[in-house]
Amino acid sequence: MQKQFTQIFSSNIWMYAVAIMVVIISLLLGISIGSLSIPFSAIMKIFLSQWFGLTLPDDVPRDFVQIVMAIRLPRVVLAFFVGASLAVAGAAFQGLLKNALADPYTLGVSSGASVGAVFVIFFNIQLPLFGTFTLPVVSVLFGLATLVLVLLFARAVERKMSVETIILVGIMFGAFFSALISLMIALTGEELRQIIAWLMGSVAMRGWKYTMMMLPFFLVGVMLLLFNARELNAFAFGESAAMHIGVDVAKRKVMVLTGASLLTGAAVSVSGTIGFVGLVVPHMVRLVCGPNHRLLLPLSLLYGGAFLVLTDLLARTIISPRELPIGVITSLIGAPLFALLFFRRMRRKT
């Protein structure tokens, strides 16, 4: 596997170079631009002083250090992780389900994670061991529990768990959980504003603790998907064809679904509901690199992270000093882009 990825990386190094450059520029822009603009040169000097123990030059105000290291850097890093998680999960769902409209919300995992978060806010729950991290922890657990329920129900309906059955069961659970969320919103009082704000999506004021909490789920989910990139390519030819070339269809399907659901649940748990990232970004990347998941997955990860960093930058600066919910911005950008891609694809078929 390592040899295969090395060959793909070396033969497409320019694609990775461009993607990494886009990520670096987006991160620097996210740190630099705000109510107080910080030059790139000052940012680099702060990084050198903080990470390598160099003396901070006198021309860099000490206030810049606190703004960069404690406020903006953790925010853009978290935005990158959330965007990367949603994009790579979307690419995996589209490949597995052979459905261009599939995204991290197809199987109801995000709705399940949202129910967990709204449940915590509605009942003002705080678990003794987790304290302020009760909301993200419960949200991830609800997301994973949703995946288990979807797979169990799909298996009960059809033992081989076909793609169509999984999609239909996911839509059913998603609709049910959306109804539960609506019910809690209808019954809520003072928590209404907090619930609505969380559902609209945001990475503001999360800090390093939320980033570190998400990191294990991110790493495990990404490794599961990259490990099954070859199998995702095989699924493109159908489950029967994949089985004939030696793919353990049921096992690999569960691994891909678990990895993508881990990423989705973790992203939703720390940022709320952010739509269209997992739908549009893989489509855009596929236009450049093609359908090979060994290339599509890592590039979707990089571009998805960069996209959400830039979207968050737009959300907090477009009507500064007020901030717009990041989920609103991704929908405003993502919906027209997806409509354009869908229109071009359908025109190509006719």
Side-chain angles (χ1 to χ4, degrees), residues 94 276-285 307 333-335 337-338 341:
Q94 289 169 13
F276 281 98
V277 178
L279 190 63
V280 173
V281 173
H283 273 286
M284 302 292 288
V285 175
F307 173 76
I333 296 173
L337 277 176
F338 183 73
L341 290 170

Side-chain angles (χ1 to χ4, degrees), residues 23 40 80 102 120 154 167 175 193 198 203 228 238 261 275 294 347:
V23 169
F40 286 176
F80 177 83
V120 170
I167 291 176
R193 184 179 180 86
W198 187 88
V203 291
N228 288 281
S261 298
R294 295 173 183 170
R347 284 292 297 271

Side-chain angles (χ1 to χ4, degrees), residues 8 10 12 21 28 57 85 135-136 138 151 164 173 177 240 269:
I8 292 171
S10 60
N12 298 279
M21 186 62 64
L28 287 174
S85 297
L135 188 148
V138 171
L151 293 179
E164 292 79 8
F173 273 87
F177 288 137
S240 298
S269 72

Side-chain angles (χ1 to χ4, degrees), residues 55-339:
T55 303
L56 185 68
D58 294 333
D59 62 338
V60 179
R62 297 303 183 266
D63 291 345
F64 282 7
V65 178
Q66 182 69 13
I67 294 172
V68 169
M69 301 304 297
I71 299 175
R72 292 188 186 172
L73 182 60
R75 177 168 182 159
V76 299
V77 170
L78 182 61
F80 177 83
F81 279 145
V82 170
S85 297
L86 294 174
V88 73
F93 278 129
Q94 289 169 13
L96 177 66
L97 304 178
K98 293 181 296 179
N99 190 327
L101 298 178
D103 74 344
Y105 302 95
T106 301
L107 299 184
V109 175
S110 105
S111 296
S114 297
V115 166
V118 173
F119 185 81
V120 170
I121 297 172
F122 183 78
F123 290 103
N124 195 24
I125 298 172
Q126 193 168 75
L127 300 177
L129 295 177
F130 301 105
T132 56
F133 292 101
T134 298
L135 188 148
V137 169
V138 171
S139 183
V140 169
L141 292 176
F142 268 64
L144 291 176
T146 301
L147 173 64
V148 173
L149 289 174
V150 167
L151 293 179
L152 288 176
F153 195 89
R155 188 176 180 83
V157 172
E158 185 182 29
R159 189 166 183 80
K160 67 176 184 177
M161 292 194 300
S162 67
V163 168
E164 292 79 8
T165 301
I166 293 175
I167 291 176
L168 289 174
V169 173
I171 292 173
M172 179 185 68
F173 273 87
F176 176 73
F177 288 137
S178 295
L180 282 182
I181 292 173
S182 299
L183 176 63
M184 283 189 276
I185 290 175
L187 295 176
T188 193
E190 297 179 358
E191 301 87 1
L192 177 62
R193 184 179 180 86
Q194 186 181 358
I195 291 174
I196 297 297
W198 187 88
L199 288 174
M200 287 183 177
S202 176
V203 291
M205 305 307 293
R206 300 295 196 266
W208 287 114
K209 291 182 178 179
Y210 278 77
T211 305
M212 292 299 104
M213 190 215 71
M214 182 182 177
L215 186 59
F217 298 101
F218 176 80
L219 293 176
V220 172
V222 168
M223 291 306 297
L224 274 173
L225 296 185
L226 292 179
F227 181 73
N228 288 281
R230 185 182 72 88
E231 284 71 21
L232 282 171
N233 288 339
F235 280 125
F237 300 100
E239 294 183 15
S240 298
M243 193 178 302
H244 284 308
I245 63 174
V247 175
D248 188 339
V249 171
K251 177 182 176 183
R252 296 295 181 171
K253 196 184 298 183
V254 171
M255 290 177 70
V256 171
L257 290 174
T258 301
S261 298
L262 270 175
L263 291 169
T264 302
V268 171
S269 72
V270 299
S271 64
T273 305
I274 299 176
F276 281 98
V277 178
L279 190 63
V280 173
V281 173
H283 273 286
M284 302 292 288
V285 175
R286 199 176 285 110
L287 292 176
V288 177
C289 74
N292 186 352
H293 286 84
R294 295 173 183 170
L295 188 59
L296 177 63
L297 292 178
L299 288 180
S300 294
L301 185 153
L302 294 171
Y303 281 114
F307 173 76
L308 202 66
V309 170
L310 295 176
T311 305
D312 178 56
L313 174 61
L314 183 63
R316 59 186 167 88
T317 57
I318 191 171
I319 57 169
S320 180
R322 294 183 63 188
E323 286 191 19
L324 289 174
I326 192 171
V328 173
I329 300 296
T330 57
S331 297
L332 289 174
I333 296 173
L337 277 176
F338 183 73

